[in-house]
Amino acid sequence: MTSLLPYNTFGFDISAQTLLPIHSEEHIQSLVQSGLFKNDHFILGGGSNVLFTSDYPGTVLLNQIAGKEIKVISDEIGIISFGSGEQWHECVLYSIEHGYSGIENLSLIPGSIGAAPIQNIGAYGVELKDVFHSLQAINLHTGALKTFHADECEFGYRDSIFKREEKGNYFITKVQLRLSKKFQPNISYGNIKEQLSLNGIDKPTAREVSNAVIQIRQTKLPDPRKIGNGGSFFKNPIITEQQFKSLKEEYSEIPSYPAPDGIKIPAGWLIEQTGWKGFKKGTVGVHQNQALVLVHFGGGKGIEIKNLSKEIQQSVFNKYHIHLEPEVNIVGIQ
């Protein structure tokens, strides 16, 4: 058994039967031929969006595929290819350093770039699908290398085909992003404009927008190196316009945002309104500054976070008739 304590940001000291670092496509293909993927296995990137509720009885594959390559398409457009084991935030900084923009609003999101398309990560008015070009992935049944373009990924809100029909069928090895040399700031969402104003900036560069996002996230979200957490634990729910209208009549202050399939309600607000913000029970709790983040104070077990999340879900449903769906991938005892 190998401890996964260094590889999950919740900081739970759980173990896997085997931990296997992966550095290349060829390594994955050789493992397919060996029959490894017929047994229990789990692909782990940055460990920031996963909650282990028990020891893992199979093989955990630690994605460490590296690489960065820029393909210039035109004076204004470039496609940057990243190895899937690269850390997302480092990819953001690399893009900015080379004069490319489009993902600066996604600064400081933890995890690997290989996990980004699975989750269709997003923040401050930008989603991965907005800049996604393609990815390469190895079929874990056949060993064949396949390219997926945007339409084939079926991106949705924090969702993709890799969380549904193709879950567990592919190992993503490379991700290509289509980025721009012509910077067009997107600062209308959240507190970016306010933070830029505090920084004395009215015509920001991509780096300055990135810095503002970093400042906001550091203020609102706890550092996993100091307190265990997996970032936002729940998705922001999307409800029908009719349901929102009914809720608005009873709770006039309820915040909302338009969404393609209805109305998006901030999950953090729902959790805070049901009294959970700052809650602590034993070794786990809800962050005092951001109710969307469940935290581990140390010495606990992942099942405690899972149980707390269920209590929060029930509480929110009882009051608002809205079901909160976990954004974090829960692995182990259910």
Side-chain angles (χ1 to χ4, degrees):
M1 300 291 284
T2 303
S3 175
L4 297 181
L5 179 59
Y7 306 112
N8 74 100
T9 60
F10 266 112
F12 290 116
D13 191 9
I14 47 87
S15 298
Q17 185 66 42
T18 306
L19 178 67
L20 189 59
I22 302 297
H23 295 281
S24 69
E25 293 176 343
E26 292 75 19
H27 191 184
I28 288 293
Q29 289 171 322
S30 70
L31 293 174
V32 173
Q33 297 304 316
S34 75
L36 171 72
F37 295 104
K38 295 177 182 178
N39 304 315
D40 287 339
H41 64 276
F42 182 76
I43 300 168
L44 186 62
S48 61
N49 199 48
V50 60
L51 170 65
F52 287 101
T53 57
S54 62
D55 288 342
Y56 190 75
T59 299
V60 170
L61 297 105
L62 185 62
N63 187 353
Q64 297 185 332
I65 298 177
K68 303 181 183 76
E69 183 181 0
I70 299 174
K71 181 181 180 181
V72 178
I73 302 301
S74 69
D75 289 344
E76 293 187 358
I77 300 295
I79 293 175
I80 307 184
S81 177
F82 296 101
S84 59
E86 296 281 356
Q87 292 303 297
W88 172 262
H89 182 59
E90 296 303 316
C91 295
V92 174
L93 298 181
Y94 177 88
S95 302
I96 293 172
E97 288 168 3
H98 288 80
Y100 289 96
S101 62
I103 53 176
E104 54 280 348
N105 288 39
L106 306 181
S107 295
L108 211 62
I109 292 179
S112 66
I113 195 167
I118 297 174
Q119 189 76 0
N120 184 25
I121 62 171
Y124 299 105
V126 176
E127 289 185 313
L128 180 82
K129 68 180 180 62
D130 301 331
V131 295
F132 180 83
H133 179 267
S134 60
L135 64 79
Q136 279 72 52
I138 292 174
N139 187 306
L140 298 181
H141 304 289
T142 66
L145 183 65
K146 176 179 171 61
T147 296
F148 288 82
H149 292 94
D151 58 340
E152 297 171 287
C153 294
E154 298 180 13
F155 290 124
Y157 173 57
R158 302 297 176 270
D159 193 29
S160 74
I161 196 171
F162 303 105
K163 293 183 73 173
R164 302 189 311 273
E165 300 93 319
E166 299 297 353
K167 184 175 182 179
N169 291 334
Y170 285 91
F171 190 112
I172 295 172
T173 59
K174 293 180 182 177
V175 176
Q176 288 81 35
L177 304 181
R178 182 182 176 91
L179 303 177
S180 177
K181 280 277 189 179
K182 187 177 181 181
F183 175 56
Q184 295 181 320
N186 181 351
I187 59 174
S188 61
Y189 197 98
N191 300 327
I192 299 180
K193 189 178 293 186
E194 179 183 344
Q195 186 62 53
L196 287 168
S197 178
L198 290 172
N199 294 347
I201 298 167
D202 58 356
K203 294 182 179 179
T205 63
R207 184 178 297 278
E208 288 168 337
V209 170
S210 172
N211 289 340
V213 170
I214 290 170
Q215 288 174 288
I216 295 168
R217 290 183 68 90
Q218 287 177 332
T219 300
K220 289 187 174 182
L221 302 173
D223 185 343
R225 293 171 297 184
K226 298 178 181 178
I227 182 170
N229 74 91
S232 299
F233 195 90
F234 297 103
K235 297 179 183 180
N236 291 319
I238 296 175
I239 62 176
T240 65
E241 292 188 16
Q242 183 59 45
Q243 185 179 4
F244 174 71
K245 182 179 179 181
S246 298
L247 284 170
K248 189 74 172 176
E249 290 176 356
E250 188 171 358
Y251 307 102
S252 60
E253 74 284 7
I254 187 171
S256 64
Y257 302 95
D261 301 321
I263 304 296
K264 184 185 296 184
I265 308 298
W269 184 87
L270 294 170
I271 297 167
E272 184 172 347
Q273 294 303 305
T274 45
W276 290 100
K277 189 175 182 180
F279 174 85
K280 182 177 180 181
K281 182 179 182 180
T283 65
V284 301
V286 179
H287 194 251
Q288 60 185 0
N289 296 331
Q290 174 52 273
L292 195 53
V293 178
L294 307 191
V295 295
H296 170 222
F297 299 105
K301 297 183 182 299
I303 194 66
E304 295 177 71
I305 288 283
K306 176 69 185 297
N307 291 339
L308 174 60
S309 73
K310 283 183 168 294
E311 290 186 56
I312 292 171
Q313 285 174 306
Q314 189 62 55
S315 180
V316 168
F317 185 80
N318 288 346
K319 184 171 182 178
Y320 296 103
H321 298 287
I322 294 176
H323 175 67
L324 294 182
E325 183 181 346
E327 184 172 323
V328 168
N329 186 14
I330 302 173
V331 180
I333 297 171
Q334 298 297 307

